[in-house]
Amino acid sequence: MLSLVEENYLKAIYHLSDAGKSAVSTNALADNMNNKAASVTDMIKRLSSKGVISYEKYRGVNISEKGRRAALKVIRKHRLWETFLVEKLNFNWDEVHEVAEQLEHIDSPLLIEKLDSFLGHPKVDPHGHPIPDKDGRIHEVKQVQLSEAKEGTTGILHSVNDGSPKFLQYLSKIGIRIGARIEIVERMEFDGSMEIIIDDKERVFISRQASENLLIRESHEKR
C-alpha cells in the first residue's frame, strides 16, 4: 500500500523518467515536487523499501516494474476522472486537474472499472493524453510538435504538453481545442512564431512556445 504522498512522488518519477526509460536525479525530483532535498531523500528511501524504485548515488532514481504498474494505476484514475468531470459535469478542461488530483487516490478498483465502463472506455483524456487500460497498456498515437511541422502542413490537434490552466485558457480564447484542424500558413524566421488557420475559419498568430506545446497527428503537406 502506498500513501497519497508516496503515490504523488511515484507518479512524478514515472513522468520525469519518460515512463521509466531514464534515471531521475534527486534535484529534478525536488524541483518537480517543490520540496527540500532532505525530504526527497527520505521519500526515496521509503519508496525503495517498498520495491517501487531503486536508487544509486550519483546515478539517480529508477522506477521498478512494480512501481511502473503502480504509477500507471494512479495515472489511469486521474485521466478517467478528468474525462468524467469534463464530459459529465461540464467542467472546462482547465478546471479539472486539481480536482482529479484528489480523486485519483480513491482506492476502489470496482469504482474505477465502473467509471471506465460508464464513460465508454475512453482512450484519451480531455487534454489528449492516453488513458492506460486496466492492465497498464497505453495506446500510443504518432504525434509531432506543431513547432516542428513545415509551412503548409495541416493536422489534427491530438494533445497538449502544457496542461496549466493559464495555457489551456489561452487556447480556449483563440479557439484551439483537442480535435481542432490546424493549418500552418507561415512561420516567422525572427522568433519562430507562426500564423495558423483553425478549423478552416480563424486565422491567428501563436508564439513558438505555444506551438511547442501543441501536438498534432495525421499531418500532411497541403497540396
Side-chain angles (χ1 to χ4, degrees), residues 112-156:
I112 297 306
E113 294 317 306
K114 285 186 175 292
L115 177 63
D116 185 30
S117 179
F118 176 67
L119 294 171
H121 307 289
K123 300 298 182 186
V124 296
D125 71 11
H127 310 112
H129 302 144
I131 299 175
D133 68 15
K134 62 181 181 180
D135 297 315
R137 293 187 296 260
I138 293 179
H139 176 65
E140 298 288 357
V141 174
K142 187 176 181 180
Q143 307 172 74
V144 62
Q145 283 182 316
L146 188 64
S147 60
E148 299 301 317
K150 298 177 181 178
E151 286 185 5
T153 295
T154 60
I156 304 300

Side-chain angles (χ1 to χ4, degrees), residues 49-141:
S49 70
K50 295 187 176 185
V52 292
I53 65 165
S54 61
Y55 173 72
E56 290 185 53
K57 195 173 183 180
Y58 306 120
R59 293 190 177 184
V61 176
N62 284 284
I63 194 167
S64 68
E65 179 57 28
K66 178 181 177 181
R68 192 184 71 84
R69 290 196 305 269
L72 284 167
K73 180 180 176 182
V74 178
I75 292 168
R76 169 174 165 78
K77 291 189 287 183
H78 181 99
R79 294 177 179 175
L80 282 171
W81 281 120
E82 285 193 334
T83 304
F84 172 77
L85 291 168
V86 169
E87 291 189 0
K88 304 303 179 181
L89 298 186
N90 299 317
F91 277 71
N92 294 323
W93 67 338
D94 58 275
E95 298 174 324
V96 296
H97 180 71
E98 288 190 7
V99 181
E101 283 281 297
Q102 301 172 52
L103 294 170
E104 71 184 24
H105 300 292
I106 297 175
D107 187 22
S108 173
L110 179 59
L111 171 62
I112 297 306
E113 294 317 306
K114 285 186 175 292
L115 177 63
D116 185 30
S117 179
F118 176 67
L119 294 171
H121 307 289
K123 300 298 182 186
V124 296
D125 71 11
H127 310 112
H129 302 144
I131 299 175
D133 68 15
K134 62 181 181 180
D135 297 315
R137 293 187 296 260
I138 293 179
H139 176 65
E140 298 288 357
V141 174

